[in-house]
Structure formats: C-alpha cells, structure tokens
Amino acid sequence: MNFQESKTKENLARSFAAECQEGARYQFLAKMAQQEGYQYMSMLIRTLAHNEMSHAQQFFNKIVELGGNQTQNIDISAGYPFKSGELCDILLQEAENEHGSAESIYPQFAEIARDEGFKDVAELFEMVASVERTHERTLRKLHENLKCDCLYKCESGKHSFKCDECGTIILDKCAPKTCPLCKMGQGYYRIDFSIN
Ligand SMILES: [Fe+2]
Ligand SMILES: [Fe+2]
C-alpha cells in the first residue's frame, strides 16, 4: 500500500505526538518528585522521559523515511490526557496510560501496519510496546510503595540501602532520614524494586 494513503502514516504521527507529550509530562513529574525531596525517583522518571523522546524520534524518522518529501504536514485528531493530582496519583495515572499504550494502542497499530505491508513499522510498534510495559511496571511500583510509605523500608529483614549521592551503604530495615556521610536526605537513597 502507498504510505501516503495508509492508516499507518496517521498512526505514526499520533504515536510521535503522544510520545512527545509523554516525554514532557514525565519531565514535569520528575520536577515535582525532586521538589518533594524524592531525588532518586526523579532521576528514574527523567530516564522515562528520555526513553519517550527516543521513541518519538524513531516514529519521526519512520515518517520521514517512508514519506520522503511528499509528507509536508499530517493532520491528526486524537485525545491526550490533561489530568492533575498529587505525585502519588499521577504515578498511577501514568502507569495506566502506559498500560493502554503497551497492551492496546501499539499492538493495534502494529497489526494495521502489518496488514498494510509495513513490516518494519509493525516491528517498531512492538518494540516500543515492550518498553512501555517496563515503564508501566516501574510507575506502578513507585505508586504502590509511595502510597504505603514503604519506598525506603524493608519489612522482611535487613536490606542494603545505597545513597546515590555518596555511595554509602546502610544495612538496616529502612534507609536513614539523612545520609550519615553526605548529609543528603533520604530521597537520595536508591529505590530498590525488590523491596516488599
Ligand atoms: Fe514511549
Ligand atoms: Fe513509556
């Protein structure tokens, strides 16, 4: 099928727009986490933002590659979230967004691309979907642990908590409120997803 007439062209443009907006929202969220003292969480969210911009670039490159100079502008209509809330609520909203992308939107776009004869694009959607699945897991875990105030606790015994600022390792049931070496706050301690 001709790319210009395909549904895949529109789906690539929608995906590009969605990834850019997700990247922006994650930067806002990272700033929020930082302002609340969760430096390590902020760094994890910044990594997600970076990943989304990389996905956006792949979609952009595909449009340019397949559309050549015939693609000047693509009109798209789509819904994008503008929800607000506390840090903990936003983590859950974003986990749910990621779930939608990973399990429904991108798999559908991949199927359409395959039907239209764009095998590379189908594979791209599938690869991005598998990353979004890992994003969902990260965000859900952050949400769950923040909600029960156990980001820095290990109920099942002593755990080694590491300060991301100075490298101090503390073997205890919870990370110290202030790092004994560098005096930075608890938010600098690494969040280990195997905790709880
Ligand atoms: Fe993404
Ligand atoms: Fe993502």
Side-chain angles (χ1 to χ4, degrees), residues 79-126:
Y80 298 102
F82 280 92
K83 292 178 188 163
S84 64
E86 306 275 316
L87 178 60
C88 192
D89 308 323
I90 301 176
L91 288 166
L92 181 61
Q93 288 163 16
E94 293 295 359
E96 277 159 8
N97 267 338
E98 294 283 6
H99 184 81
S101 306
E103 310 302 339
S104 155
I105 300 168
Y106 287 147
Q108 278 171 33
F109 286 0
E111 201 182 318
I112 294 167
R114 203 161 264 119
D115 286 348
E116 290 183 335
F118 301 104
K119 184 171 165 276
D120 290 1
V121 181
E123 285 168 1
L124 174 61
F125 281 130
E126 284 159 356

Side-chain angles (χ1 to χ4, degrees), residues 22 26 52 98 132 135:
E22 227 169 84
Y26 286 154
E52 307 308 8
E98 294 283 6
E132 308 304 7
H135 287 181

Side-chain angles (χ1 to χ4, degrees), residues 41-150:
M41 186 195 296
S42 174
M43 191 273 292
L44 290 174
I45 298 168
R46 268 183 221 289
T47 303
L48 302 187
H50 182 82
N51 295 159
E52 307 308 8
M53 296 320 289
S54 168
H55 301 166
Q57 182 163 20
Q58 293 307 315
F59 293 134
F60 183 92
N61 291 352
K62 264 294 168 216
I63 293 168
V64 172
E65 178 196 320
L66 295 169
N69 49 19
Q70 283 183 60
T71 310
Q72 301 293 331
N73 194 49
I74 304 173
D75 284 324
I76 48 166
S77 162
Y80 298 102
F82 280 92
K83 292 178 188 163
S84 64
E86 306 275 316
L87 178 60
C88 192
D89 308 323
I90 301 176
L91 288 166
L92 181 61
Q93 288 163 16
E94 293 295 359
E96 277 159 8
N97 267 338
E98 294 283 6
H99 184 81
S101 306
E103 310 302 339
S104 155
I105 300 168
Y106 287 147
Q108 278 171 33
F109 286 0
E111 201 182 318
I112 294 167
R114 203 161 264 119
D115 286 348
E116 290 183 335
F118 301 104
K119 184 171 165 276
D120 290 1
V121 181
E123 285 168 1
L124 174 61
F125 281 130
E126 284 159 356
M127 282 189 281
V128 173
S130 73
V131 177
E132 308 304 7
R133 229 162 261 139
T134 70
H135 287 181
E136 183 197 350
R137 278 202 295 278
T138 300
L139 291 159
R140 232 177 253 289
K141 210 66 186 154
L142 288 173
H143 163 75
E144 284 163 9
N145 285 328
L146 182 63
K147 197 175 165 194
C148 65
D149 190 28
C150 42

